[in-house]
Structure formats: C-alpha cells, structure tokens
Amino acid sequence: MSAGRWTVAPAGGVEPTVERTERHPIVTEADVVRVRQIVRNLAVTAKMSLVDQTKMVTAASELARNTLVYGGGGSMTVDIVDNGRRRGIRAVFVDSGPGIPDMDLALTDGWTSGSGLGLGLSGSRRLVDDFAIESSPGAGTTVRIVKWSR
Amino acid sequence: MDRIPILKMGNLLLVSIQVDLQDQLALALQDDLSERIVATGARGVLIDISALEIVDSFIGRMLSTIAALSRLLDAETVVVGMRPAVAITLVELGLYMPGVRTALTLEHGLALLGAEVRVRLPEDEALVDLDADSAEVTDLGAGAAPNGRSALTEGAWSG
C-alpha cells in the first residue's frame, strides 16, 4: 500500500450477483432521494425485514450524500447478491472527488470535514454487514456496502 | 421550490412531513418554522414524522436544530410518530438527537405540550358551548345527553 492510500478492505465486489441494476447518477439532491427509493425497492425484492431495509436505505442515504457533497457527485450501482446461504443487497458508491486523506480520521464518530454531523461513514458502517472503502487523494473514493437478509 | 405546510392550531404549530425530504426542503422548513414561531407567538411545535421511512443524519440534525431554535424562541418542540424501524436505525447510526422531545402519537405530543404550555385547544371551547346546549336539551327529555357529556369531558382531559 503506497503512502497516502488507505484501504480498509477491498472495494471490488466479490459476492455473486443475482440481479443487477444500471448505474444511477448522484449529481443533485433529488438523486439522493432517488437512491433511497431504488435501494428500498431492491431490499423489498430481496425480502429483507423492515428494520434491515430501513438500515440499508439509511446507510445508502448517508453515502449518497457524501458522494454528492464531498465527492462532488458520482454514481451508485446496487445489486441483489447471493452467497449461497443468504441473499443481500450490495451498493457501491463511486466518486472522482478529492479523496480522503486520512481514513482513520474519516471513520471516527463525530469527525467531519464539512458541516455535517460526522456520522456519514462511521454511522453507515455500523448499519451494514460488510463495509469496504477505497480512497486515495486526488483519485476519488469508492465505498461498497452489503447487507444480508436474516 | 415546494414547501412543507405549517398549520397553526391554538398556540401550537403543527407540521406533518409527508414527502421524502430533500436536504433543501429540510433547511427551508427550519427557516419557515422559526419565522412562524415569532410571527404567531406559538408556544409549541409538533412535528409528525410518521410518514418518514428513514431519518438519516441530515434529517436528524434538522430536527435537533428546530428543537434548539424553537427553545430560543420560547417554544417547545415535540417530534411524534417515529416508526420503530427508524428508531432502531437511529440508535445504531449513533444519532441521539439531544434536546429533541418525542412522543409516540400526536395525542401524546399534544398532552406533553398541553401540560407545559397550558394549551387551550379549540375543543375546550366547543365543550363549553356543547354544555350550554345540552343543558337546554335535557329539559326536553333527551336522556342520552348527560352520558355524551361525561364521555366528552373525559376525552378532553385524557387528551
């Protein structure tokens, strides 16, 4: 790992995909709302419980806003995945913004580089089962989250 | 841009968020509410979020800000109707919304504010009128009037 490049876990999807959707742009606030609806619909299709749906949609909302506000816009892809035992929802958020210079700091509760509460990354990480982030200064940020049905 | 309607009811302001909130709409609600509190001299603000499928950190911060703002303007805010799944998610997210009072239902929220700011609801006035009317009706032999009256009285006090 080169200096300045931080990876908590590989951001490439490894779970077999069952149902794929197209890439959804995140360039306006309306897109953030749309992302919530798209993730909700897919979570319903995957027969996720209401609490898990709510956690996944909330995590997606946080990450979509990060993509828009800190990443300067980007996109999300969301798929239904299957690991042989359980189904789940995987969402990947990609931006080509300034990147995250200090990942440990960015994942700290309450720390924010902007005007938010600093719960976007740390909070959404707690809401999902798998969380991976890849970012390097100047090369943007990719966040991948997976939530499995119980 | 769309606005979330703010209803005045006695010395309360009532907001029911029925749309999937965009960030700008949430910010506009903050501004509109503080203006209406000052303009109306409202002592309480009830925010119904029963239609909200999620509350993320931005919406949570909006609710905290409204509660803090209204307190500075001498009004108490109660958020009512939070869905159980939303509450579970907020705790896990780590968002505790300090300073925001909550109640399970609109009725509980009204009771909470009524106890603190001595709200005189329009129902109280209606009750007085009804009492006067039914006293006359009783003379004409309408036996159901006393029962109806006591039920109304109980309802008014428990609410």
Side-chain angles (χ1 to χ4, degrees):
Chain A
M1 192 186 295
S2 62
R5 182 182 174 83
W6 300 76
T7 306
V8 170
V14 291
E15 307 82 5
T17 300
V18 173
E19 190 174 326
R20 197 178 289 278
T21 67
E22 72 269 41
R23 185 174 293 271
H24 306 282
I26 304 173
V27 288
T28 66
E29 281 188 10
D31 292 333
V32 176
V33 171
R34 202 164 301 122
V35 156
R36 300 205 281 246
Q37 290 159 355
I38 291 163
V39 172
R40 166 78 67 179
N41 289 341
L42 219 55
V44 170
T45 306
K47 294 189 169 57
M48 221 172 239
S49 75
L50 182 59
V51 169
D52 284 343
Q53 285 174 35
T54 306
K55 287 179 182 177
M56 183 64 183
V57 174
T58 305
S61 183
E62 298 291 344
L63 296 176
R65 185 176 295 104
N66 279 2
T67 299
L68 178 65
V69 174
Y70 302 111
S75 66
M76 176 199 69
T77 50
V78 59
D79 305 311
I80 295 180
V81 290
D82 195 324
N83 65 0
R85 290 179 298 119
R86 292 186 294 176
R87 284 197 162 194
I89 301 291
R90 177 184 62 212
V92 182
F93 297 83
V94 180
D95 69 60
S96 47
I100 300 171
D102 187 337
M103 188 63 71
D104 287 339
L105 196 57
L107 287 169
T108 304
D109 256 357
W111 186 87
T112 174
S113 64
S115 56
L117 288 172
L119 290 172
L121 279 182
S122 56
S124 58
R125 186 185 197 179
R126 280 193 294 272
L127 292 176
V128 297
D129 296 314
D130 303 332
F131 181 97
I133 184 165
E134 202 169 63
S135 182
S136 47
T141 301
T142 298
V143 183
R144 175 174 62 89
I145 55 174
V146 182
K147 186 138 193 89
W148 298 104
S149 302
R150 307 235 168 261
Chain B
M1 193 181 70
D2 290 338
R3 284 291 220 258
I4 295 171
I6 300 170
L7 308 176
K8 183 179 175 297
M9 190 174 70
N11 56 7
L12 295 180
L13 296 178
L14 185 60
V15 178
S16 185
I17 303 173
Q18 299 284 335
V19 293
D20 208 340
L21 269 184
Q22 276 189 40
D23 293 357
Q24 282 305 318
L25 195 58
L27 293 176
L29 177 62
Q30 261 172 231
D31 295 349
D32 291 352
L33 255 180
S34 44
E35 276 173 25
R36 285 295 296 277
I37 290 169
V38 172
T40 62
R43 303 300 307 276
V45 178
L46 270 166
I47 304 177
D48 167 39
I49 61 165
S50 59
L52 284 189
E53 291 185 340
I54 67 148
V55 172
D56 65 7
S57 63
F58 194 92
I59 300 168
R61 184 168 59 137
M62 171 202 76
L63 295 172
S64 291
T65 304
I66 287 174
L69 265 174
S70 65
R71 196 165 301 120
L72 285 174
L73 298 172
D74 200 19
E76 193 69 34
T77 298
V78 178
V79 172
V80 304
M82 184 183 292
R83 298 183 180 195
V86 169
I88 292 167
T89 301
L90 278 179
V91 170
E92 208 149 309
L93 189 62
L95 193 69
Y96 300 104
M97 299 200 290
V100 178
R101 305 195 65 173
T102 57
L104 284 183
T105 64
L106 194 57
E107 285 88 350
H108 288 109
L110 279 172
L112 202 58
L113 287 172
E116 279 180 1
V117 297
R118 301 186 195 290
V119 184
R120 272 197 69 83
L121 295 174
E123 281 89 339
D124 294 340
E125 291 157 27
L127 189 66
V128 173
D129 289 341
L130 194 73
D131 277 346
D133 286 344
S134 49
E136 290 172 24
V137 173
T138 312
D139 286 339
L140 298 172
N147 281 341
R149 219 157 74 200
S150 68
L152 254 175
T153 309
E154 279 171 25
W157 285 108
S158 67

